[in-house]
Amino acid sequence: MKRILNIAEKPSAARELSYALAARKNVKIREIGRRLRVYEFELDWDHEKVLMIFSSVAGHIKALDFHENYRNWNSCDQLALLDPTKTPIKEFVPEDKKFLEQALKNEAKNCCKLFLWLDCDSEGEKIAYEVLEICQQVNLSMRAPENVKRARFSAITPRDARNALQNLTQLHYPTISMVSTRQEIDLRAGAAFTRFLTKFVQDTFKIPLHGDKKVILSYGPCQFPTLGLVVDRLLTIRAFQPRLFYYLELKVRCKRSGAEELVLSWDRKHLFDRYCCALLYEICYSYLSQNHFESVVSDIKKTAKSRRRPLPLDTVELQRLASRVFRFSSDATMKAAERLYSEGYISYPRTETNTFPSTIDLFKLISLQQDDPRWGGFVQKMKEHWNDCSPRKGSKDDKAHPPIHPTKPAPKQGFPNKECEAIYELVTRRFLACCSTDAKGYETIVIVKVGFESFRIHGLSIEDAGYLEVYPYDHWSERTLPAELEIGMALDVISLMMKEGTDATMAEHIRKIQDREYVVKQGNCFYPMALGLALVEAFEACEAFLARPTCRSEQERDLRQISEGNRDASDVLYAALAAFSCNLQKLSTATNVLRQVFSVHFDCS
DNA sequence: GCAAGGTC
């Protein structure tokens, strides 16, 4: 029988994909050492019975570093690190992955074909290539493209796995080349700037750091734009000056129904000039006192309002939502989502797509949820009005994965941890909401005049809650106004007040952000922040644009052109390295500027 | 002693 080697990105994916393709009782497990399992099962494939050998790697199996001669920090000029002709780099299997490499080779020897089931993102494409290179060393038949296939799937479910197996594709080499280029840029830029900055600071200043940690000022093309963003924010906060403002507030009551007090806000919103506001207050007050403290409804506007159902869920939106609703960090969110994905509960959680492909069977996916006590009833109603189902189409499509959606019902006993529970519920509610209808209602605006000044109050009545019924994360608060209100009606005035306020809430938020996240306090000092600030300031002062928030995204845009086949990899590599060289030279010729900026924050050694 | 991105 033909033996086919199948490799997934992690052990749990190998296990779940095996069970998705074959019945559990037909899968044999073989242990290799203590750390790796191989799943074996027979399958009909391409009109014959084959033996599937399913195992995995654990992320990247190869690492990238400079050639030994250039790993020493004093081995070469830092600028040379940005020049591929001067400092060669190489890819190799690190010590802790040698075990996997050997296992891969042993299995590859006995197989005639290789199916690559790595995650379907760009890193997965590159890892697939790393696996292929290793297998080819011991098995010549795997150098023939017809014996090497890429399985593409968006969820670890029987349906997706079988579909992938029936539609095997080839490796996408432009994407592999894009990732290799990114790796090289990151390594070269990281090493060059980290060495430069660390040496400069060590030689010049005494920087207090907690513990025995050595001072390393690392630069990374991802770290710095992030730091830049944080520093930008801090600087805006520091520059913020709260201002006092003044406004009028009118409280009235209907003559008949009486009890309810209506608080109306001023159409001028607020004024920063206290005297001006006081003057208008006096005018209104004398008008009221001449009119028996009565005011008149001058207009009532009624408009239909709707709240749109949400867009299909992509990764960024999932992170945002989980942060808002549960205060989960994006890290915690993705960890839970990855786990749900690898156990087959949700589709692949790394997607930029927010529009459903036309091929997706929404009815089937929704039906999976009909027995859940939390939203089963809602699902029943959706199925009765199935013709109304038309999810909105977002503008993003990564052409690889659909929006995140549930792929199997929640387990009866619940999930093993609260993060998984929470994320599954979020994903499912969001999915149902997308496939549901907009919420519809009426807004009523009642305008009341006091002399020439107008005041208003808003009312809202929800006529059809639509998606809101299953999606508690959006709020649309209903507010009923007395039914008897009509144009021309006189109201009793309870009070007219002049009030003051301040827009300092932002400053308070910022203090919190400082206290909680942006500053690490060691003893009485805020070292990391000072260091971060100094770095960003220094870069800006030297006109080395390394900490601009857009740096990374611009680079990623260029890299993407490689995978789209629109630009040569070496072209992008050299352009990026040239830009980094230029910035490094700016810094190294302006050490006096660096020294000056740093000296504000640190003592000289 | 350096990066970022996979996974454990």
Side-chain angles (χ1 to χ4, degrees), chain A residues 334-398:
Chain A
M334 292 317 289
K335 225 170 157 184
E338 293 284 359
R339 185 157 174 195
L340 290 168
Y341 157 70
S342 63
E343 289 171 17
Y345 288 103
I346 64 172
S347 64
Y348 191 61
R350 293 183 190 281
T351 172
E352 285 180 28
T353 308
N354 60 359
T355 181
F356 284 112
S358 55
T359 51
I360 200 164
D361 189 346
L362 293 173
F363 188 81
K364 201 168 161 189
L365 289 168
I366 287 168
S367 301
L368 290 174
Q369 299 297 333
Q370 66 193 8
D371 295 325
D372 194 294
R374 291 166 289 186
W375 44 72
F378 188 80
V379 169
Q380 280 305 331
K381 272 195 278 174
M382 285 175 81
K383 290 174 77 171
E384 282 158 27
H385 300 97
W386 186 243
N387 292 339
D388 294 345
C389 177
S390 61
R392 291 170 58 195
K393 294 188 189 315
S395 56
K396 293 182 291 178
D397 189 351
D398 62 17

Side-chain angles (χ1 to χ4, degrees), chain A residues 51-122:
Chain A
L51 183 65
M52 295 298 240
I53 312 288
F54 221 120
S55 192
S56 72
V57 286
H60 282 284
I61 191 163
K62 291 187 173 185
L64 187 71
D65 206 346
F66 290 100
H67 189 277
E68 285 82 354
N69 296 353
Y70 304 99
R71 290 196 197 163
N72 183 299
W73 281 40
N74 297 313
S75 60
C76 65
D77 179 21
Q78 289 122 20
L79 262 182
L81 295 172
L82 293 168
D83 186 344
T85 62
K86 290 186 181 145
T87 50
I89 53 174
K90 62 170 191 180
E91 227 181 20
F92 58 98
V93 178
E95 268 323 300
D96 62 330
K97 296 287 168 83
K98 285 273 201 287
F99 163 82
L100 278 172
E101 182 193 30
Q102 194 50 53
L104 212 50
K105 284 182 173 171
N106 292 343
E107 299 302 326
K109 271 183 213 157
N110 305 319
C111 293
C112 59
K113 285 178 187 290
L114 173 64
F115 293 173
L116 296 157
W117 294 80
L118 293 109
D119 285 357
C120 294
D121 50 25
S122 53

Side-chain angles (χ1 to χ4, degrees), chain A residues 530-550:
Chain A
L531 196 55
L533 259 174
L535 277 171
V536 174
E537 270 178 50
F539 286 176
E540 288 296 312
C542 298
E543 295 183 358
F545 303 123
L546 296 160
R548 292 281 170 91
T550 52

Side-chain angles (χ1 to χ4, degrees), chain A residues 16 58 77 116 146 160 172 199 206-207 217 241 252 266 330 338 363 375 393 428 453 461 484:
Chain A
E16 296 304 321
D77 179 21
L116 296 157
E146 68 268 22
D160 261 57
H172 191 249
K199 279 189 181 173
K206 195 171 77 191
I207 294 190
L217 288 190
Q241 289 280 342
V252 300
W266 195 17
S330 31
E338 293 284 359
F363 188 81
W375 44 72
K393 294 188 189 315
T428 305
E453 296 302 308
S461 60
E484 67 195 89

